[in-house]
Amino acid sequence: MSLIEIISGLALGFAFGFILENAGFGSPCKLTAQFRLSDWSVFKVMFTAIVFTSVGLMVSGWFGLVSLEGLFVPPALLGAAAIGGILVGSGFAVGGYCPGTSVVGLMSGRLDASVFLLGLIVGTLVFAGAYDQLEALTTMGEVAAGDTLPDALGVSSLWVNVFMVIAAVAVFIGGTALERRLGGPVSAAQAVAGATNANP
């Protein structure tokens, strides 16, 4: 790995963390509100990123800007993904942090984030030590039809992206309606204030 790659990775990481913190995503107050369906900000941001990337890759492939065949696509292991999603989601709901936001919270001086990050490190070490016994769980449920949605469903990427755009619009409309009914989203200022009060 070259020095430029290391520097660019660090710069992007710092920029990503800065944006997360200023959006309030470094606070458990805002993140756990997603699980109460009162704040859809996290889901909207992540879904937008997925759709934007998917459509962008498709269009870039059409114009020859990106060789889609040369992109690495990890194997579709739905069973393993489900187990991992349940474990990470449970920790997210209980602690109010995911791995990335726990680092952001720690850099912002939040004590609860440091405890969560410590648990993340310990859990990673335990998993690494028990990997031989758990390896079978990490390869469960491989989809034989293909590792991408178009391959697995037997349709073109255009139709998948059209559906995803429609789904994104529906999520924005439905999520906003639920936010209004359940008290509205937590603002970045409220998230920071709530986390500060929780960590005197």
Side-chain angles (χ1 to χ4, degrees):
M1 183 176 290
S2 67
L3 180 61
I4 298 235
E5 290 174 328
I6 294 174
I7 293 174
S8 65
L10 288 172
L12 288 172
F14 278 115
F16 183 59
F18 178 80
I19 292 170
L20 284 180
E21 174 61 20
N22 280 273
F25 286 8
S27 166
C29 300
K30 191 168 186 67
L31 299 176
T32 53
Q34 176 70 70
F35 292 92
R36 298 193 300 271
L37 303 180
S38 61
D39 190 332
W40 284 64
S41 302
V42 176
F43 194 87
K44 289 176 182 177
V45 168
M46 298 307 295
F47 201 2
T48 299
I50 292 170
V51 173
F52 184 84
T53 302
S54 181
V55 173
L57 282 174
M58 179 185 69
V59 174
S60 297
W62 286 349
F63 288 96
L65 301 175
V66 175
S67 174
L68 299 181
E69 292 75 19
L71 295 177
F72 170 72
V73 179
L77 305 170
L78 297 188
I83 294 174
I86 291 171
L87 293 174
V88 173
S90 299
F92 203 158
V94 172
Y97 291 105
C98 71
T101 55
S102 66
V103 175
V104 173
L106 178 64
M107 293 298 104
S108 301
R110 298 188 174 103
L111 297 179
D112 55 344
S114 65
V115 174
F116 193 87
L117 187 58
L118 178 62
L120 173 68
I121 294 172
V122 171
T124 301
L125 293 175
V126 171
F127 176 79
Y131 182 76
D132 290 341
Q133 291 74 34
L134 300 173
E135 184 177 7
L137 296 177
T138 67
T139 56
M140 287 178 55
E142 183 170 9
V143 179
D147 295 324
T148 65
L149 277 174
D151 290 340
L153 299 176
V155 298
S156 72
S157 58
L158 175 61
W159 286 113
V160 171
N161 282 308
V162 167
F163 174 80
M164 289 179 63
V165 169
I166 294 172
V169 172
V171 164
F172 269 76
I173 295 173
T176 301
L178 273 174
E179 285 175 342
R180 290 173 180 166
R181 177 170 293 186
L182 298 175
V186 179
S187 69
Q190 290 173 323
V192 172
T196 302
N197 293 333
N199 293 312

